[in-house]
Amino acid sequence: MGRNPKRNLIGKAALMEKSAELAIPMERLLAGYVMEQLAVKLSESERGERLLLKNPGILGLSGFGRGGSHRLYYAYIKQAGEVFSKADFAAFLKNTIKWETQTNIAWSWRSRMEGSRLIVELLAVLDDMRMPVELVIDPVEEGSCAYSSGEYTVRLVMENNKACRIAVYPVQELFFDDLREALTKLELIGDMAVYERMYEALGMLDFEGRQFQRDLERFCGEHEILMDEMRFAQMERYLTYPYMAKKWKSYLKKHRKTTPLWEDVYGRFWSFLMPPWEASLQGMIYLGSWISDLGRYLD
């Protein structure tokens, strides 16, 4: 993630030309361009190794404007004794987002705290075009992640597919974050993207059943989530529960998607969660291995 301050001067004319070339609506291309430039600049900053992007799939040509979302979600790894505050991060942004002479983008922003989470609402202005984007930043204690951060390669569409590497939050950690949301909120869950992310993660990650069972029991204990028969039965019926299927259908419609189906999304999730959980209820050790390519456990 080396520093490279030189950038192409890109304006409305270049975006219009690329929009026609790629058959991508101008607004979608602008949103994608702004977000990738923001992500790259944060990655190149002095805190780049500690800003771990949680939704890198929104970047790049395949992700431009994905689901109509203009938000970049980050975990910020706090150093020992560091206080994460709105004022500190605002000062960091002020020193970091100063590259109008390199990209022609002018930025303004305002921020607020929601508990420990920082929300930064930014407005990017390029020529006469305006694009609002958001940064959502969750502080994480250094050393609290069981898995190492990864890297994601972004190919900059407006810069001839130049490759830039960005530090990303471990997929395994993100999976457990989403699992906590699913297990605690149950049918009151507000963001069904949780299930989409877990569906995608389970199509990429392999798990050793015994280790996941131990992690699940520890995780539920730490977060006071009861692993009892009642919660098990409640979650089991979500596969055919019309209310959850309706929430998923509304989520797809909002994000202009038609797939995947709820039966596939929850089916994969429950096929993964059910055997280790059931083994714990019976006081047994689960020895299967989750194979992502198969979407099931092999005993």
Side-chain angles (χ1 to χ4, degrees):
M1 274 163 277
R3 298 173 184 273
N4 185 2
K6 295 197 72 172
R7 294 251 187 269
N8 298 326
L9 288 174
I10 293 170
K12 185 175 181 179
L15 283 166
M16 289 180 67
E17 183 178 344
K18 184 64 73 170
S19 173
E21 175 189 335
L22 300 176
I24 292 177
M26 184 72 162
E27 181 181 357
R28 182 180 165 199
L29 183 61
L30 175 61
Y33 172 62
V34 164
M35 285 192 293
E36 74 178 14
Q37 290 296 313
L38 179 57
V40 168
K41 193 61 181 177
L42 290 173
S43 177
E44 292 174 347
S45 74
E46 68 273 15
R47 301 189 188 186
E49 296 289 346
R50 296 194 285 133
L51 280 164
L52 307 182
L53 186 59
K54 289 185 173 184
N55 61 331
I58 202 170
L59 301 174
L61 184 59
S62 62
F64 271 12
R66 184 180 180 185
S69 173
H70 301 155
R71 296 184 184 91
L72 295 173
Y73 290 87
Y74 280 91
Y76 177 72
I77 308 301
K78 296 196 305 177
Q79 295 178 331
E82 180 181 3
V83 176
F84 180 75
S85 69
K86 184 174 74 169
D88 172 67
F89 207 84
F92 161 69
L93 283 180
K94 186 176 181 180
N95 292 327
T96 300
I97 307 180
K98 282 189 175 179
W99 74 105
E100 293 90 341
T101 56
Q102 299 159 10
T103 65
N104 284 353
I105 299 175
W107 292 90
S108 61
W109 66 83
R110 61 183 181 182
S111 57
R112 68 182 188 276
M113 297 295 294
E114 292 185 356
S116 62
R117 168 177 281 185
L118 176 65
I119 311 288
V120 184
E121 298 174 347
L122 301 103
L123 180 65
V125 180
L126 181 62
D127 293 340
D128 61 344
M129 300 178 294
R130 301 162 68 86
M131 177 56 62
V133 296
E134 280 189 353
L135 292 176
V136 180
I137 304 159
D138 293 307
V140 177
E141 296 292 337
E142 190 173 31
S144 63
C145 290
Y147 301 91
S148 300
S149 61
E151 281 191 341
Y152 183 83
T153 299
V154 179
R155 299 203 172 271
L156 307 180
V157 175
M158 294 301 297
E159 298 187 40
N160 299 317
N161 287 320
K162 172 185 172 183
C164 289
R165 291 174 298 158
I166 292 176
V168 294
Y169 193 61
V171 178
Q172 298 92 334
E173 296 287 349
L174 184 58
F175 178 82
F176 274 98
D177 289 348
D178 287 334
L179 182 61
R180 177 185 178 184
E181 190 81 359
L183 293 180
T184 55
K185 299 293 181 60
L186 299 174
E187 61 204 75
L188 298 179
I189 190 167
D191 185 6
M192 295 297 282
V194 163
Y195 282 106
E196 183 173 34
R197 287 194 297 267
M198 290 195 294
Y199 173 77
E200 292 173 350
L202 291 173
M204 297 186 293
L205 299 175
D206 293 332
F207 288 87
E208 195 274 310
R210 180 190 302 203
Q211 182 61 52
F212 174 70
Q213 183 183 3
R214 285 198 295 262
D215 291 343
L216 178 64
E217 291 174 351
R218 173 188 53 78
F219 175 81
C220 288
E222 289 176 353
H223 298 290
E224 299 181 345
I225 298 169
L226 290 177
M227 289 183 65
D228 57 7
E229 294 277 3
M230 183 179 297
R231 190 176 298 255
F232 183 91
Q234 184 176 2
M235 295 194 71
E236 186 174 36
R237 71 187 180 95
Y238 285 171
L239 183 63
T240 56
Y241 187 25
Y243 177 73
M244 294 295 281
K246 184 178 179 180
K247 289 186 74 165
W248 178 253
K249 187 175 181 180
S250 297
Y251 169 78
L252 290 180
K253 183 177 180 180
K254 179 180 178 180
H255 292 82
R256 295 181 287 227
K257 298 178 181 180
T258 57
T259 58
L261 300 176
W262 175 245
E263 292 79 4
D264 296 329
V265 171
Y266 199 81
R268 179 183 292 179
F269 170 71
W270 190 243
S271 293
F272 171 75
L273 186 64
M274 182 265 289
W277 188 330
E278 194 168 42
S280 291
L281 288 176
Q282 296 171 1
M284 301 174 65
I285 296 174
Y286 187 69
L287 299 178
S289 295
W290 176 262
I291 308 300
S292 57
D293 289 344
L294 300 177
R296 62 182 177 86
Y297 284 101
L298 283 182
D299 296 327

